[in-house]
Every structure is written in structure tokens, then in C-alpha cells.
Amino acid sequence: MSDHKIEAANLDVLKNRHSSKWRRFPEDVLPMHVAEMDFPIAKPIQQRIITMVSESDLGYLGPIPEVASSFSKFAKNRWNWTIDESQLKLAIDVGVAVVEFLRANNASNTKVIVNSPVYHGFWEWLGELNITPVDVPLNHDYSLDISGIEKEFASGVKFLLLCNPQNPVGKAFSKEDLTALANIAKKHNAIVISDEIHAPLTYKNETFTPYLTCGPDAEETGVCITSASKSWNLAGLKAAFLLTQSENMRAKVELMPQATHWRASIVGAFAMAEAYENGETWLESTLQTLDENRHHLKNELQRIFPNVKYQIPEAGYLAWLDVTSWNLGEQTVATLIKHAKVALVPGNDHGPEYTNHVRFNFGTSSELITEGLTRIARALSS
Ligand SMILES: Cc1ncc(COP(=O)(O)O)c(C=O)c1O
């Protein structure tokens, strides 16, 4: 636990940031869309980057056992997961790792299962390979629809792109669900690509289960793809990795081009190692702030928009809001940008039928959460 509270910078400071969050929309729009947090970067990571820059240490990325050794300790400590350090392969980001893994394993022009509502990037990545997404939506309680998935495996679909914990609903799937998924994947000779990028942001009383800890069938069928970029707010640094736990799956990762490793950023890769090695104190403090924020959002919604439905997430800083009561339909986000000066992510980016939802980023200060909702309320009542 940390004795230092992590707090978001104020709006005037944030507006000077150069990232997409702060540049995509005009200055008077409050950006609560893209998954970036408004907190300062962890000190050990800052120091690592400063040292690399000041020592002009910015060449191509070579061997970096530090990622495997630091993640190994982190995974053991956090999830009691013993990884095989020899089966970790670097990549530039999670998106590229997923696309290149699918490409190397002949998935182009085939079908891949996704479970909506799910991160909009998934739909875009599959589009890059002309893959048809086969949607097996989550159940009402956000658990996996195992029998629905099995039906698709049985019909010949060979891949499932899993998001655990799930963006946008913040669900950390149960060990039972994941084990059942592994059993049916093995039975039908299918592969589970498990995007676990939000996992370190699982809240204290919730349980994140890595897919590869769900027994021999999971090891035989799974590849975990992840990065420190989401939990430590390093998306612009560009480093991620793939991890397997069987010779069968190692061989499938080995089909990817060797350049998958070299294309990652040296700064990003060492920052990622630093995050796993020395970033846990910052992570705990950030989780405390986010925990307050997820409840603050709940309270503020009850006060300002009692008809908006929101289930507090088990992980991450994204809130999935059912805003049917706003009555704005497909135009919800465009209308809010124009009239409320607040940017959210459209629900139907996460699956075509979610036009009455929005994704709201609460990785900021409680003041800006309230400000965003207040702006929306003002616009809706005018
Ligand atoms: C589930 C999930 N996967 C991947 C990404 C993006 O990762 P990367 O920038 O490493 O491609 C995000 C970004 O928000 C995400 O939510």
C-alpha cells in the first residue's frame, strides 16, 4: 500500500498534454473518451525514461530479459501465476500483436469470435485482416455465454478474441467461465487470444484470473497478450508482449515475424519492465483513487441522472452507461460534443446494437467527473 495519494492534474495543466486525448477535440471540449488517465506517471518510470534520454540510450530494442523477469515477479505476487519466462515475446503494442498473431496463423479472411459489448479496437483489428467478427454477446450478468461460444466453435470458428477484464464493462471473468472456455477451445481445436491489458487495474475485492492459469486446456489453447501501457498510462511509449505456456502455442507465436520484437520501442520496453518491477506502489495508489472515482460516479449519477444505468466495474477506469433515458439514440456522442462540450465513446463502437450506451472515462479527478456530468445535464435541459 502507498502513503501517497495519486491525483489528476488540473484542467489547465492537462490541456498542455500532446496526446490524442487532449488534441482530438477543440479545447473547450472535456475529453472523457479515449482510455488514458489524467494522473502523473509513476516516479520510477519517469526516472528510467529520463536516464535513457540523458544517456542518449535510444537505439533499437535488443534482448530484454528484464520484461520477462519483472512480469514474472509481478504475476506471481499479484495472481499467483508462475509464467514460463522463455515464452515471452515483445511486440510494439497489443493491437499489432493480435493482428500479427492472427495473420501468421492464417486467420485472414476467416471468422473470429468476440463477446460484445467489447473494446472498439477489436472490431477494427479484425477488419485489418478482412476477418468477420462472430459476436457471442456477454450474458446479462456480463459472464461469458459458454454454450453460445461452443456453438460457434462447433461450426468451425477457430479463434476467440477475449477481453479480460472486459472493456467497456470492467468485468473480470470467473475461473469457472475461463476453465469452461478452455475446455471447449481444446475440444474444438480452437485458439483463445486473451487480451489482459486491464488486468493490473482489478479492484481490491475482485479477482482477476489469467487465462493461462486455468489448467492444461488453457495452456494448450491460449496466448496472453498484454502491456503495462493501460495500467501505468504509457500508451504512447509502444511496447507490449505475447506470452504462452505450452510448446504448441509457443510454436504458433514463433510463426510471427522476428521483427515483431525489434519494432517495439526501447524506451517503451524498459518503461514496461520498470512498471512491473517498481510500479506496484504507484499502482496501488492509483487503484485507491480510481476506487473513489468509480463510487463518486455512481453517486453523481444517482444525484444528476437517476435513470442512467451503471454497474460499478470490477476493473479499470471505464464506465459503461446505459443512457436510453437521454433519448439521443445514434447521435448521443455527437450531440454531447456539440452542445455539452463533453467527448465520450459511442456505445455502438462496441457492437452495433449498443446505440443507447456510452463509455465514460473516470480516470481523472472527481471534480472533472462531476463537471462532465453537469455539462451534459445542462445541455440536455436546454
Ligand atoms: C482491451 C484493450 N486492448 C488493447 C488496447 C490498446 O492497446 P495498444 O495501444 O497496446 O494496442 C486497449 C486500449 O484501450 C484496450 O482497452
Side-chain angles (χ1 to χ4, degrees), residues 5 23-24 78 93 100 107 112 128 155 168 194 206 213 249 251 269 276 283 298 301 324 334 350 366 378:
K5 187 166 164 60
R23 290 205 157 189
R24 175 155 171 212
R78 230 161 162 89
D93 62 25
E100 293 309 320
V112 171
E128 286 181 41
S155 79
S194 186
E206 308 294 346
T213 62
M249 290 305 300
Y276 294 130
L283 182 68
K298 178 91 187 163
L301 283 170
T324 308
H350 304 78
S366 55
R378 215 181 293 134

Side-chain angles (χ1 to χ4, degrees), residues 35 93-95 119 122 125 163 167 195 197-198 227 229-230 238:
D93 62 25
V94 169
Y119 172 50
F122 279 20
W125 302 342
C163 189
N167 166 3
D195 175 341
I197 197 170
H198 292 273
S227 168
S229 64
K230 203 58 40 195
K238 292 295 165 194

Side-chain angles (χ1 to χ4, degrees), residues 36 38 43-44 87-88 142 175 181 209 215 226 263 280 293 323 330 336 342:
E36 291 176 29
D38 294 343
K43 281 280 185 304
Q87 293 197 45
L88 187 147
Y142 297 154
K175 183 151 197 161
L181 175 62
T209 305
T226 195
R263 286 176 182 147
E280 241 178 315
N293 285 1
V323 295
E330 289 205 17
L336 295 182
V342 175

Side-chain angles (χ1 to χ4, degrees), residues 72-100:
S72 176
K73 279 181 266 180
F74 181 82
K76 183 76 191 161
N77 180 40
R78 230 161 162 89
W79 306 308
N80 196 26
W81 177 16
T82 306
I83 70 160
D84 177 350
E85 291 184 32
S86 77
Q87 293 197 45
L88 187 147
K89 189 180 176 77
L90 265 280
I92 186 161
D93 62 25
V94 169
V96 168
V98 169
V99 169
E100 293 309 320

